[in-house]
Amino acid sequence: MDAAELIIKDYLIYSRQFTVQIEEIDVNQELNHVIRILRPLAEGNSVNFYTSFLPVRTITGNTKKFRQCLLNIIKNGIESMPSGGSLIVCTEVHHSNVIIEIRDKGTGMSKEQLEQLGKPYYITSGSKGTGLSMMVSYGIVRALRGTIKVKSELGNGTTFLISVPSNFSTQKNISKIVKKPLN
């Protein structure tokens, strides 16, 4: 029953429209919040968090969905280190995008596994999980007009690079549109 409930919950999260309340999101604040939530899981798995948050601009989106995306990726990172290890979370600005790097020192993934990542019902954790959390995370980042790049090597861990347009670039693009002369 618990497994069925998780599958249904993940599916409902994925199937909901991404047109929900849009707000400014403080990326560093949300990362700190997610780390606080996951700290007991990390401690139970002997995983230490290391963070480096540079001042970054806000992004526009739904806070709850963004938080769910971060929870999914960081939780997977923790679970990829059954014998403990380090999970590194960093933020920076590159051009007009906020970059979030989430790097674990876990089991890593093969090239074949990387190609399947984000597809429905694909899991790398054996029978644990539903295979929907990464699909949901990819969908949330796409809804934010962002991208996810993943680097991984078996035995050497995985790095997620999430790039999302900052409010600065959105405001700049809106200003350009407004300033165009009307014909």
Side-chain angles (χ1 to χ4, degrees):
M1 289 299 288
D2 289 340
E5 184 179 327
L6 278 174
I7 290 170
I8 291 167
K9 180 182 169 196
D10 283 347
Y11 183 75
L12 288 173
I13 288 170
Y14 178 72
S15 65
R16 283 187 209 138
Q17 294 296 319
F18 291 108
T19 56
V20 291
Q21 183 179 353
I22 303 299
E23 53 212 343
E24 279 193 45
I25 301 170
D26 182 323
V27 174
N28 291 341
Q29 180 179 323
E30 286 307 312
L31 281 163
N32 278 318
H33 182 77
V34 167
I35 289 169
R36 274 193 308 276
I37 291 170
L38 291 174
R39 190 166 304 282
L41 177 66
E43 289 172 354
N45 287 318
S46 300
V47 171
N48 295 310
F49 283 111
Y50 296 94
T51 61
S52 174
F53 297 157
L54 296 179
V56 295
R57 299 176 189 109
T58 58
I59 62 171
T60 301
N62 179 271
T63 302
K64 289 179 183 175
K65 291 192 178 297
F66 182 66
R67 189 177 295 158
Q68 183 65 51
C69 172
L70 297 173
L71 276 164
N72 291 344
I73 294 171
I74 293 173
K75 182 176 179 276
N76 285 350
I78 292 168
E79 291 174 348
S80 77
M81 297 181 277
S83 301
S86 301
L87 196 131
I88 301 155
V89 183
C90 306
T91 60
E92 64 180 74
V93 175
H94 182 70
H95 298 293
S96 59
N97 290 328
V98 174
I99 308 297
I100 304 164
E101 180 179 343
I102 302 169
R103 184 175 0 135
D104 67 58
K105 299 293 183 182
T107 55
M109 292 180 275
S110 68
K111 182 179 177 185
E112 293 78 23
Q113 289 174 313
L114 276 174
E115 290 171 0
Q116 297 299 312
L117 198 61
K119 293 185 179 175
Y121 306 109
Y122 182 73
I123 57 175
T124 60
S125 57
S127 62
K128 193 175 179 182
T130 62
L132 293 173
S133 67
M134 288 310 301
M135 182 180 73
V136 168
S137 295
Y138 274 69
I140 291 168
V141 171
R142 274 194 302 275
L144 293 168
R145 297 179 341 270
T147 60
I148 296 180
K149 292 182 182 177
V150 184
K151 299 176 197 171
S152 189
E153 187 179 330
L154 282 173
N156 288 323
T158 302
T159 301
F160 281 82
L161 290 171
I162 302 167
S163 176
V164 180
S166 70
N167 281 344
F168 176 76
S169 66
T170 304
Q171 186 61 42
K172 188 175 174 182
N173 290 337
I174 290 170
S175 297
K176 284 182 183 177
I177 293 168
V178 172
K179 289 181 183 178
K180 282 185 175 180
L182 298 173
N183 293 336

